[in-house]
Amino acid sequence: MRLRTLLDTDALGLRLLGGGSELDRTVGGVMTTDLRDPSRYLSGGELVLTGLAWRHAAADSEPFVRILVEARVAALAVGEAELGDIPEDLVQACARHGLPLFAVHESVAFATITEHVVRQVSGERAGDLAAVVDRHRRMISSGPAGGGPGVVLDLLGSDLDLRAWVLSPAGRLIAGSQPAGPALAPELGARLAAEHLRAARAGHRAPHRVTVDDTVYSLFPVRGSDTAGRDIRESVLSDWLLAVRADAADWPAERLDLLHGVTQLIAVERDRRDASRTVRRRLAQEVLDLVQTGAPPAEIAARLRVAAPVLLPGVGAAPHWQVVVARVEWDSPAGDAGTGDDGSGAGARDIDCGPVAQALLEETLPDAPAPGGTERGDRLAVAHTDGEAVALVPLSGRGGEESDSGLHAGTLLSAVSGPLAAGLAEDGRLTIGVSAAVHSAEGLRGALEEARHARRVAAARPGRVTAAGHQELASHVLLLPFVPDDVRRAFTARLLDPLRAYDRRHRAELVPTLEAFLDCDGSWTRCAARLHLHVNTLRYRVGRIEQLTGRDLARLEDKLDFFLALRMS
């Protein structure tokens, strides 16, 4: 209930003496007092009623009003029965502090105002509670699939006149309320998501308040059941958020509790959606394991035939496939971080970044359009291994032609870079690689290697969020994954045999050192820490590798050649 409503109620006999610009304040309760300092009994949002028994001199008005303002009361109402006209010193004190002031006609008892306010506020709270109970009933009755977050948002719109949206970390619209009005623009969704992630990483207490084009939005995190006690970096890039077009700073505690309850209900839907991805994750992991262990193409093709109906139901032709690889890295605590040649810091040892990247891809890749209005997130399958996430994206191909154009690294980057960079703050980095589409199981191994190479190209670029596609790879990187096995063996022998021979003769570890150095993106400090070596010892080993092979590990092309050779050996 707002002050304006009280003023418009003739039976209450209220007359406005000051603070007309503050009439949209919300009244959460009422208190009658004649104490000089009633602060201990105030919790904020009250309409304070007083007969001025506390005032003995004009100087008493200023401290009394200051106490009310510091307690964040909604307004002050003064009875005229005792003194008649309201003292000018009290009017001026309220004006100085921006506190709305009402005069109560002598014919109106404070009890009448109190009963009216309590009745109205209780009715609003009952309506809020009924909406929550009904939402819970509808969620339960809808079965395991749930009613979706749109159900509770519709209740917020119809019952509480609140326009609200559920957004992904990248600002993608997941659900929204239905009241009349313009749809949420993608640019606004991205802006709200970025502000939310920035505030969350800064440790600000929710809800976060954001003003865009003179409109205030309140942002509430939607956290899953498994996020309690976890590092914020493990969930900030995958958790949803609830954006409400309202200023929660003016809300009473009950309304805030209601919205936090709403986020918990939406979190149930998010957990259900996450659970529904279990089958797709398992399929992706099985395919990834087969590809990485060099399984026969026929075995991989059989597994893909099982995956296709799950990811693309109703598609008769065998789909084409695309692979996306992502890696999230966090800087180590101060004093333990190194910096690689690409500007990335050392990865934090206390966070398994594979699941982080997996959840991020599942929430991010749907930003790319999919044919027929299907969200790509309902079709892809994502696994994780060795700190990186690998997404298997089906593309519906018919008659030898692709009817789905697939993902493009540039489009994906432009859709997610702004919000996710805010979530990564100053200590995180996201790199993404996108392969070309392949038409068979034989090509899937090459697509995986291609996406990994593309990600390494992205890692060599500056920025918190970078991506690269297969179009940006050098020609030999693009072709090698698809050449015959005898050519592969010749290529790896040319690069790795000198190192293997040296390791056998001297019981050295040049090959493991090379693999660790590349896996750390050329970061001397990170690689030395992983191998438990002094940096000078690592520099000696890398120098020996370069002498034996005639290659320069400071050059990206040579790094990629070594990486290919290691993966093909």
Side-chain angles (χ1 to χ4, degrees):
M1 181 180 63
R2 301 187 182 276
L3 291 174
R4 190 181 306 279
T5 304
L6 290 175
L7 186 62
D8 293 339
T9 305
D10 295 336
L12 299 182
L14 296 179
R15 180 164 50 89
L16 182 66
L17 300 180
S21 61
E22 301 292 332
L23 291 180
D24 285 328
R25 289 189 181 185
T26 301
V27 179
V30 63
M31 177 190 177
T32 301
T33 183
D34 277 315
L35 296 174
R36 285 175 176 268
D37 182 2
S39 59
R40 72 183 70 180
Y41 306 109
L42 297 171
S43 59
E46 295 93 348
L47 171 66
V48 176
L49 305 174
T50 182
L52 295 181
W54 52 266
R55 181 184 177 277
H56 301 291
D60 295 337
S61 294
E62 176 69 22
F64 182 79
V65 170
R66 187 184 307 115
I67 289 171
L68 297 186
V69 171
E70 290 175 353
R72 300 178 63 86
V73 304
L76 174 64
V78 180
E80 296 178 322
E82 188 69 24
L83 299 179
D85 293 337
I86 307 304
E88 185 62 26
D89 50 271
L90 181 59
V91 175
Q92 293 178 1
C94 289
R96 281 194 297 273
H97 291 278
L99 180 66
L101 176 63
F102 298 96
V104 182
H105 193 271
E106 62 181 5
S107 63
V108 179
F110 283 174
T112 301
I113 299 175
T114 300
E115 290 174 3
H116 179 83
V117 172
V118 170
R119 186 167 56 251
Q120 293 296 321
V121 172
S122 298
E124 290 180 357
R125 292 174 182 170
D128 289 347
L129 180 60
V132 174
V133 171
D134 184 57
R135 163 60 178 159
H136 196 234
R137 177 189 60 77
R138 292 164 66 178
M139 284 183 61
I140 294 175
S141 64
S142 59
V151 177
V152 70
L153 298 187
D154 289 346
L155 286 173
L156 289 178
S158 61
D159 294 1
L160 304 180
D161 196 27
L162 289 177
R163 193 81 192 277
W165 304 267
V166 177
L167 304 175
S168 77
R172 174 178 59 89
L173 179 63
I174 296 171
S177 52
Q178 297 299 321
L184 185 73
E187 297 79 10
L188 177 56
R191 169 77 180 276
L192 295 177
E195 294 294 340
H196 168 74
L197 292 176
R198 188 174 292 110
R201 287 304 316 278
H204 296 161
R205 185 175 181 179
H208 312 306
R209 183 178 180 275
V210 178
T211 302
V212 181
D213 296 332
D214 299 326
T215 301
V216 179
Y217 298 87
S218 298
L219 310 177
F220 298 79
V222 177
R223 297 192 174 101
S225 59
D226 60 344
T227 59
R230 296 172 61 192
D231 191 305
I232 184 65
R233 295 173 295 180
E234 295 183 83
S235 59
V236 69
L237 299 180
S238 57
D239 281 348
W240 292 351
L241 68 134
L242 174 65
V244 181
R245 192 173 63 188
D247 190 351
D250 294 336
W251 289 356
E254 291 80 3
R255 181 62 63 89
L256 284 174
D257 289 342
L258 168 68
L259 264 294
H260 285 302
V262 167
T263 64
Q264 293 173 0
L265 292 174
I266 296 174
V268 172
E269 294 296 327
R270 191 201 181 289
D271 288 343
R272 285 174 172 170
R273 184 174 297 193
D274 190 63
S276 70
R277 292 169 172 157
T278 302
V279 174
R280 296 198 296 272
R281 287 176 176 174
R282 186 176 69 248
L283 288 171
Q285 193 67 54
E286 292 174 354
V287 173
L288 179 62
D289 291 344
L290 290 174
V291 170
Q292 292 190 137
T293 56
E299 187 175 353
I300 299 175
R303 179 53 51 189
L304 289 177
R305 283 194 295 272
V306 173
V310 176
L311 304 181
L312 278 177
V315 176
H320 303 161
W321 301 94
Q322 195 172 14
V323 175
V324 179
V325 172
R327 182 180 290 270
V328 176
E329 295 176 295
W330 302 100
D331 293 345
S332 293
D336 190 35
T339 301
D341 295 338
D342 60 0
S344 62
R349 299 180 184 178
D350 58 335
I351 298 177
D352 184 356
C353 291
V356 176
Q358 179 185 45
L360 184 146
L361 281 184
E362 289 173 337
E363 294 298 335
T364 298
L365 290 185
D367 284 296
T374 304
E375 284 192 354
R376 200 180 296 278
D378 295 333
R379 308 186 303 151
L380 59 88
V382 188
H384 67 85
T385 179
D386 297 330
E388 71 179 9
V390 179
L392 188 63
V393 184
L395 311 173
S396 55
R398 300 179 185 277
E401 298 293 332
E402 293 181 49
S403 60
D404 187 338
S405 59
L407 292 167
H408 188 277
T411 303
L412 179 60
L413 181 63
S414 63
V416 305
S417 58
L420 295 186
L424 292 162
E426 298 301 321
D427 62 344
R429 191 146 194 257
L430 166 64
T431 52
I432 302 173
V434 182
S435 79
V438 295
H439 306 169
S440 64
E442 289 82 355
L444 201 56
R445 181 180 181 184
L448 175 60
E449 294 181 1
E450 190 175 74
R452 283 175 167 163
H453 300 327
R455 191 206 64 80
R456 294 181 64 81
V457 170
R461 297 170 175 169
R464 289 291 166 188
V465 183
T466 57
H470 63 95
Q471 304 92 336
E472 303 172 66
L473 300 180
S475 59
H476 66 287
V477 177
L478 181 62
L479 295 174
L480 275 176
F482 304 99
V483 299
D485 287 343
D486 56 342
V487 179
R488 286 171 174 262
R489 287 192 292 270
F491 179 77
T492 57
R494 189 179 305 117
L495 286 172
L496 300 183
D497 279 2
L499 306 182
R500 290 167 176 160
Y502 186 90
D503 284 349
R504 286 193 299 269
R505 291 196 305 270
H506 300 280
R507 295 184 179 180
E509 296 183 349
L510 295 186
V511 173
T513 300
L514 172 62
E515 190 165 14
F517 185 73
L518 295 175
D519 191 50
C520 291
D521 294 330
S523 170
W524 297 99
T525 307
R526 286 174 55 196
C527 185
R530 177 179 295 187
L531 297 175
H532 305 289
L533 298 174
H534 192 278
V535 172
N536 289 340
T537 303
L538 175 62
R539 292 185 183 276
Y540 171 81
R541 289 188 182 182
V542 171
R544 177 64 66 186
I545 291 171
E546 293 175 336
Q547 291 176 2
L548 292 171
T549 60
R551 299 298 186 106
D552 182 359
L553 279 169
R555 298 179 67 246
L556 176 62
E557 291 82 358
D558 288 344
K559 288 181 181 178
L560 291 175
D561 284 345
F562 276 123
F563 186 82
L564 276 171
L566 288 167
R567 289 299 178 268
M568 291 190 297
S569 61

